[in-house]
Amino acid sequence: SHELTQPPSVSVSPGQAARITCSGDAFPRKFAYWYQQKSGQAPVLVIYQDNKRPSGIPERFSGSSSGTMATLTISGAQVDDEADYYCYSTDTSGNRGVFGGGTKLTVL
Amino acid sequence: QVQLVESGGGVVQPGRSLRLSCAASGFMFSSYGMHWVRQAPGKGLEWVAVIWYDGSNEYYTDSVKGRFTISRDNSKDTLYLQVNSLRAEDTAVYYCARLNGEGSFDIWGQGTMVTVSS
């Protein structure tokens, strides 16, 4: 089965770059997607197909993928970016989804 | 506006069943694959199941296979999740989500809580 591994937590100071990694054997054959979830809210898509940013998502959010690792980068992280971040992809068949374990981003 | 609204959650004893619903509005429901995602209290997101836009295929995560059934009624713009033989570890908020053409979950419901407890 396809598993995605993320660090449990990342901490940065305001204005610093935050990088959250996601490793998985199905990369790069399958795309990575990134979701932001703030406390008590439904997730919100912040990056799709490895490196595309949906309309309305600030430019400081970017994504990249190399080999078996995808990375979400928040350039100049802000306090408002504090949230849990989840990577998502599918298994090699493309039929079943899988989320990473999530990374808690602290900005202080 | 485009939205998904879940319902049907509640407190249920182990071994019992529930049917969760997800009502879609503001878009052509019959054109989209739909997924269920759950989140246990204090835990991460877990993908549960998918059904294709026309209901022709469905897939499940291993832990719910044989107990959960995803279905849809495109005439009613509604997605369902029949959850049987519930276990304590099924306790979670259950979200429905729309899959767009780029493979993203672009619309999420607000979630419905299922608590399995004796």
Side-chain angles (χ1 to χ4, degrees), chain A residues 29-92:
Chain A
R29 288 167 290 171
K30 297 299 180 184
F31 285 125
Y33 299 79
W34 291 93
Y35 294 88
Q36 176 195 69
Q37 187 182 35
K38 296 185 177 180
S39 182
Q41 298 181 20
V44 172
L45 178 71
V46 295
I47 292 291
Y48 68 98
Q49 291 181 352
D50 291 345
N51 54 21
K52 298 181 174 70
R53 193 174 54 248
S55 171
I57 299 300
E59 289 185 9
R60 63 181 181 275
F61 287 86
S62 64
S64 62
S65 184
S66 178
T68 59
M69 185 168 291
T71 302
L72 172 70
T73 301
I74 307 172
S75 307
Q78 300 181 4
V79 174
D80 187 56
D81 298 330
E82 279 202 344
D84 294 322
Y85 291 85
Y86 296 90
C87 61
Y88 171 86
S89 188
T90 64
D91 65 4
T92 51

Side-chain angles (χ1 to χ4, degrees), chain B residues 1 4 6 9-10 12-13 17-18 38 41 51-52 54 57-58 63-64 80-81 83 87 90 95-96 100 105 110 114:
Chain B
Q1 73 277 27
L4 298 170
E6 301 97 335
V12 61
Q13 294 179 326
S17 301
L18 279 177
R38 68 183 179 181
I51 188 166
W52 287 19
D54 59 357
N57 283 284
E58 53 199 74
S63 63
V64 309
Y80 302 101
L81 187 68
V83 295
R87 306 167 180 168
D90 296 318
Y95 295 100
C96 59
N100 70 11
F105 299 133
Q110 84 289 352
V114 172

